[in-house]
C-alpha cells in the first residue's frame, strides 16, 4: 500500500525469518535495533526513540488510550486524524525561538 516505505527499524525480537520474508514479499528492508553487548541498566537505542516518541504523540489523543474500534480501518483513520491534528498544530503555532525585532528593525519594517 505504501511503496515509499523501504526501511523499517524494529526491535531485536523481530530479527530472524521476518527479515527475509519482508524482503521477499514486501520489498522492505528490516533493520533490527539491538542492545549493545556488555551494557547494564538503561541504554538509549538508536532509532527506537523515534517510534516511542511518535507513539507517545499519538497517545496524547485520548481516544487512543484504549482500543474500542471493531474494524482496523477505524483505528487507522483515527491514528491518521491524530497525526494530522498534531502536524497542523505544529505548522500553525508561532515560534517562540524567533528573536523579537529591535527598535531599529521595527522602524525599517514600517518604512518598507
Amino acid at each position: 500500500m505504501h511503496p515509499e516505505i523501504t526501511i523499517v527499524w524494529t526491535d531485536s525480537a523481530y530479527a530472524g525469518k521476518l527479515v527475509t520474508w519482508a524482503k521477499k514479499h514486501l520489498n522492505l528492508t528490516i533493520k533490527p535495533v539491538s542492545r549493545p553487548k556488555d551494557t547494564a541498566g538503561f541504554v538509549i537505542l538508536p532509532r527506537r526513540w523515534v517510534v516511542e516518541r511518535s507513539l507517545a504523540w499519538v497517545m496524547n489523543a485520548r481516544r487512543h488510550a484504549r482500543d474500542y474500534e471493531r474494524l482496523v480501518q477505524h483505528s487507522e483513520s483515527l491514528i491518521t486524524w491524530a497525526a494530522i491534528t498534531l502536524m497542523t498544530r505544529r505548522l500553525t503555532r508561532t515560534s517562540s525561538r524567533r528573536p523579537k525585532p529591535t527598535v531599529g528593525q521595527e522602524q525599517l519594517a514600517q518604512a518598507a
Side-chain angles (χ1 to χ4, degrees), residues 73-99:
Q73 292 86 352
H74 292 170
S75 294
E76 182 180 351
S77 64
L78 290 171
I79 291 170
T80 303
W81 189 2
I84 290 170
T85 302
L86 174 71
M87 291 308 299
T88 53
R89 285 183 183 162
R90 287 185 181 180
L91 290 171
T92 58
R93 73 177 171 201
T94 56
S95 177
S96 60
R97 296 180 193 158
R98 237 182 256 157

Side-chain angles (χ1 to χ4, degrees), residues 45-92:
L45 300 177
R47 303 308 293 172
R48 189 167 187 174
W49 62 271
V50 175
V51 174
E52 292 175 1
R53 180 193 62 200
S54 301
L55 289 174
W57 286 335
V58 169
M59 290 301 289
N60 278 335
R62 291 182 56 133
R63 177 91 186 221
H64 300 292
R66 300 282 185 273
D67 190 13
Y68 296 116
E69 308 308 320
R70 292 185 182 184
L71 298 175
V72 174
Q73 292 86 352
H74 292 170
S75 294
E76 182 180 351
S77 64
L78 290 171
I79 291 170
T80 303
W81 189 2
I84 290 170
T85 302
L86 174 71
M87 291 308 299
T88 53
R89 285 183 183 162
R90 287 185 181 180
L91 290 171
T92 58

